Amino acid sequence: MPSKNEEDKRNQILEALNACLQNKPFDQTSIKEIAKAAGVNHGLLHYYFKNKEDILIHYIDYVINHYKRMFTDWLNRPEMEGHEQKKRISAFFLFMNERITLNKALSKVFIEIWEIAAYNPSVKAKLRQAYREWVDTLAAMLQRLIIDPDVSRRISTAIVAFLEGMALFSIILEPDEAEFQKILAGFQEKIVDML
Amino acid sequence: MPSKNEEDKRNQILEALNACLQNKPFDQTSIKEIAKAAGVNHGLLHYYFKNKEDILIHYIDYVINHYKRMFTDWLNRPEMEGHEQKKRISAFFLFMNERITLNKALSKVFIEIWEIAAYNPSVKAKLRQAYREWVDTLAAMLQRLIIDPDVSRRISTAIVAFLEGMALFSIILEPDEAEFQKILAGFQEKIVDML
Amino acid sequence: MPSKNEEDKRNQILEALNACLQNKPFDQTSIKEIAKAAGVNHGLLHYYFKNKEDILIHYIDYVINHYKRMFTDWLNRPEMEGHEQKKRISAFFLFMNERITLNKALSKVFIEIWEIAAYNPSVKAKLRQAYREWVDTLAAMLQRLIIDPDVSRRISTAIVAFLEGMALFSIILEPDEAEFQKILAGFQEKIVDML
Amino acid sequence: MPSKNEEDKRNQILEALNACLQNKPFDQTSIKEIAKAAGVNHGLLHYYFKNKEDILIHYIDYVINHYKRMFTDWLNRPEMEGHEQKKRISAFFLFMNERITLNKALSKVFIEIWEIAAYNPSVKAKLRQAYREWVDTLAAMLQRLIIDPDVSRRISTAIVAFLEGMALFSIILEPDEAEFQKILAGFQEKIVDML
DNA sequence: CATGAATGAGTTTTCATTCAT
DNA sequence: GATGAATGAAAACTCATTCAT
């Protein structure tokens, strides 16, 4: 059972990796660099984690959980209740845009995670699970407006795919932020109209 | 000026890297592995390319050009002419789905290229350029149906983002192929209706 | 002056090392492994011993003393007195076989000690001293049957060399135990006959 | 198929290890030290051998084969033929003493190999096989003088055990060489008389 | 006495790159 | 153009040792 302090130190290391991943991909980031970013001796990383891959695995869990928490915290806000369903979906899009799709640091990290997942089956399984949960949540929201559950699931998948594509573009296209928001808004408006 | 034979050998090496990237990310693929896949001596890779990164840069050009050629070849087919615009757009979607979005080997390589681009400014510039051309081509097709050029550009960007998101999901979600096609088709149908 | 408790703890650690040496050579056995086998915190090993080598030195003393005690205890048994000399020698061989040469755990540890001694002069000196005492004791027993003290010393050395060779073979040859005992018995019988 | 040059280089490295083992046990000898002794870059050791253990395994084969060759070369000398059997056995002992038992460098290396074999099953199997062949050869020589094959095998085993014990003592006891030879000679004389 | 976090030296290993043949 | 031996920098990892609590 990890003590509170141990947990803190581990998170400190994972945060350091997060910072490093803004500059270099994981494979080009050495244990010593992560340690330096964390302000600890490199030997400690082997004390808290089995090996470099183990740091990565814990990091990916950390990121996925972090963003899952962000998501559920938002969903459980008291303000969420009592609203009309279409309003809720619009609010959801607004939240997604601001906190996730347009969060460049997060998007950059996710591009890295996609690549890792593409070659690492166990990471892929974790990421798949996270995306499934996200799609399911969205499908549940759409369910009240669309009768066919298969259809609402397909639309949800398409919406999430679109958001991930936009996250990618926010990094690769170096777009004008205002223009980018218009694309998101315009698209999402069309989705809401369509429902 | 590279001779024909030299050009062949270079492409042979780039194809070998392409094959390697189905198994391992670039950083984990050694020069010797690429050489082995190409059936040439590893020393030769340094004869044909300046260094390992140089192989990567040429490879990315190679992939982008390959897929650009696929795209323009399709656009310039004689069958393309004379059709009604909406039909052309539908046909375009069909082509994209079959040859690009649902081409798993290509999608896997693109996830790798995204990651490389995210950290390498010159690769990012190349990829940005390619996406811009793609978006522009699509915007030109939409132009005839949408009056506002800004709007058609935004829609094009959104469509391409969606397709890239779906390419990602085709790798990460390990989806049922038929179901996946329905998502693509359903979404694209909506787009065409909307125009 | 070490307290009784301190002495116990030290022996507990040395016994733990003894157990570890059944599995791995000393150089491949970490301080933490020894500590774990002893059921104590690894930091403590540095409280009770100066460093890792110091544990080894104390361990070798411990083993040599242990087996020296076994030997003298046996020699000083009341039953030993009054017997005819040849009988005593036969009894000695029997004891050696059972308790030492055929004691596999001991033989394994001794192979390790031989190797350490071969490279470490101070360990070598200790081991040499122990073998000398052993040879001397045996020579003293033979003395009554052989007139020339040089001859009895040479025979003693040869006998001990033979026993150590057999200890080695008990580990390396993985011999059939019964067959192995016959070799020992046959050889020792010849020795006794010869006297 | 290793080329002649490759074989030479490998042997050069194994000889370097042999030299190193006069000073330090294998576990305390670094790859860089072996490389330095061989006069080559340390990276090369990984070119010619899979890893450090692989060097060890090849080294042990090399030593065992080297000494086996010494042994069979001696056995096949033309002078060996036509002699009376007891003379041949005496000659055999003389050879063993001079070239093997009293060869200190070889004995030191063998103590190291014993220890490695004690903990490494595959090395143990190789060493066991070598000892078996040696015992068998000796048993075949004795066979003509002893009727019972079991007896001649036991005596052979005992003789080899004695010789290995003496090799050990030549390192540990730091004996006077002349005295040591007398022990060997006296013992072996007794053996020959006995036959 | 006891604990376990922290340090840093040292080791094996990988691999891009060079270069003589 | 080819080959593959050789180099050396850099990486992950281990572990004895220290020390604050």
Side-chain angles (χ1 to χ4, degrees), chain B residues 19-70:
Chain B
C20 288
L21 291 183
Q22 295 302 316
N23 306 319
K24 278 191 204 174
F26 183 72
D27 281 342
Q28 288 170 33
T29 303
S30 73
I31 287 259
K32 287 198 177 173
E33 281 172 303
I34 302 170
K36 193 173 183 186
V40 304
N41 181 281
H42 71 93
L44 264 197
L45 299 223
H46 287 93
Y47 179 82
Y48 287 109
F49 298 95
K50 221 171 65 220
N51 51 33
K52 198 187 174 193
E53 180 168 358
D54 192 43
I55 302 178
L56 178 63
I57 299 304
H58 281 86
Y59 170 72
I60 286 171
D61 282 345
Y62 181 78
V63 171
I64 289 178
N65 285 331
H66 175 83
Y67 118 112
K68 220 186 264 181
R69 204 172 318 112
M70 247 166 73

Side-chain angles (χ1 to χ4, degrees), chain B residues 9 21 35 54 59 68 83 132 136 149 151 159 166 169:
Chain B
K9 191 75 82 171
L21 291 183
D54 192 43
Y59 170 72
K68 220 186 264 181
H83 275 294
R132 291 238 162 106
D136 288 347
V151 170
I159 289 170
M166 288 299 280
F169 278 7

Side-chain angles (χ1 to χ4, degrees), chain C residues 88-157:
Chain C
R88 288 179 69 173
I89 291 170
S90 290
F92 167 78
F93 281 141
L94 224 64
F95 163 76
M96 288 301 302
N97 295 352
E98 263 176 46
R99 305 295 297 276
I100 296 181
T101 312
L102 292 173
N103 180 340
K104 285 206 172 191
L106 193 62
S107 292
K108 191 154 186 182
V109 154
F110 260 82
I111 293 175
E112 178 70 2
I113 291 176
W114 297 342
E115 190 247 19
I116 293 162
Y119 292 105
N120 181 324
S122 81
V123 171
K124 191 193 280 191
K126 277 179 187 161
L127 193 57
R128 183 165 55 239
Q129 173 63 15
Y131 278 126
R132 291 238 161 106
E133 288 177 21
W134 184 7
V135 168
D136 288 347
T137 306
L138 186 53
M141 290 176 78
L142 300 183
Q143 193 58 45
R144 307 195 199 163
L145 299 168
I146 301 170
I147 285 108
D148 188 338
D150 285 348
V151 171
S152 72
R153 215 172 179 290
R154 277 179 216 138
I155 293 181
S156 298
T157 304

Side-chain angles (χ1 to χ4, degrees), chain A residues 17-29 56 59 104-116 171-172 174, chain B residues 27 53 56-57 60 111-125 127:
Chain A
L17 173 54
N18 191 62
C20 289
L21 290 182
Q22 295 303 316
N23 305 320
K24 279 192 202 176
F26 183 72
D27 280 344
Q28 288 171 33
T29 303
L56 178 63
Y59 172 73
K104 284 205 173 192
L106 192 60
S107 292
K108 192 154 186 181
V109 154
F110 260 82
I111 292 176
E112 177 69 2
I113 292 177
W114 296 341
E115 189 246 19
I116 292 162
I171 299 301
I172 302 298
E174 294 182 346
Chain B
D27 281 342
E53 180 168 358
L56 178 63
I57 299 304
I60 286 171
I111 292 175
E112 178 70 1
I113 292 177
W114 297 341
E115 189 247 19
I116 292 163
Y119 293 105
N120 180 324
S122 82
V123 172
K124 190 193 278 191
L127 192 56

Side-chain angles (χ1 to χ4, degrees), chain C residues 23-170:
Chain C
N23 305 319
K24 280 191 202 175
F26 183 72
D27 281 343
Q28 288 171 33
T29 303
S30 71
I31 287 259
K32 287 196 179 176
E33 281 172 304
I34 303 169
K36 194 173 180 184
V40 304
N41 182 282
H42 73 92
L44 264 197
L45 299 222
H46 287 91
Y47 179 83
Y48 287 110
F49 298 96
K50 219 170 67 220
N51 52 34
K52 198 186 174 194
E53 181 169 355
D54 192 43
I55 301 177
L56 178 64
I57 300 304
H58 280 86
Y59 170 73
I60 287 171
D61 283 344
Y62 181 79
V63 170
I64 289 178
N65 285 332
H66 175 83
Y67 117 112
K68 217 185 268 181
R69 205 172 318 113
M70 246 166 73
F71 194 68
T72 52
D73 284 357
W74 183 85
L75 278 176
N76 296 330
R77 285 172 322 150
E79 309 93 284
M80 278 301 286
E81 290 168 29
H83 275 294
E84 192 225 341
Q85 193 58 13
K86 284 207 177 188
K87 280 241 172 83
R88 288 179 69 173
I89 291 170
S90 290
F92 167 78
F93 281 141
L94 224 64
F95 163 76
M96 288 301 302
N97 295 352
E98 263 176 46
R99 305 295 297 276
I100 296 181
T101 312
L102 292 173
N103 180 340
K104 285 206 172 191
L106 193 62
S107 292
K108 191 154 186 182
V109 154
F110 260 82
I111 293 175
E112 178 70 2
I113 291 176
W114 297 342
E115 190 247 19
I116 293 162
Y119 292 105
N120 181 324
S122 81
V123 171
K124 191 193 280 191
K126 277 179 187 161
L127 193 57
R128 183 165 55 239
Q129 173 63 15
Y131 278 126
R132 291 238 161 106
E133 288 177 21
W134 184 7
V135 168
D136 288 347
T137 306
L138 186 53
M141 290 176 78
L142 300 183
Q143 193 58 45
R144 307 195 199 163
L145 299 168
I146 301 170
I147 285 108
D148 188 338
D150 285 348
V151 171
S152 72
R153 215 172 179 290
R154 277 179 216 138
I155 293 181
S156 298
T157 304
I159 290 171
V160 175
F162 165 69
L163 290 176
E164 294 306 83
M166 288 299 279
L168 170 68
F169 278 7
S170 79

Side-chain angles (χ1 to χ4, degrees), chain B residues 77-165:
Chain B
R77 287 171 322 149
E79 309 95 283
M80 277 301 286
E81 290 168 30
H83 275 294
E84 193 227 339
Q85 193 58 13
K86 285 207 176 187
K87 281 244 170 81
R88 290 180 67 174
I89 290 171
S90 289
F92 166 79
F93 282 140
L94 225 63
F95 162 76
M96 288 300 303
N97 294 351
E98 263 177 45
R99 305 295 298 276
I100 297 179
T101 312
L102 292 173
N103 180 338
K104 284 205 173 192
L106 192 62
S107 292
K108 192 155 185 181
V109 154
F110 260 82
I111 292 175
E112 178 70 1
I113 292 177
W114 297 341
E115 189 247 19
I116 292 163
Y119 293 105
N120 180 324
S122 82
V123 172
K124 190 193 278 191
K126 277 180 186 160
L127 192 56
R128 184 165 56 237
Q129 173 63 15
Y131 278 126
R132 291 238 162 106
E133 287 177 22
W134 185 8
V135 168
D136 288 347
T137 306
L138 187 52
M141 290 176 78
L142 299 182
Q143 194 59 44
R144 307 195 200 163
L145 300 168
I146 300 171
I147 285 108
D148 187 339
D150 286 348
V151 170
S152 71
R153 218 174 176 289
R154 277 180 215 138
I155 292 180
S156 299
T157 304
I159 289 170
V160 175
F162 166 70
L163 290 175
E164 294 306 83

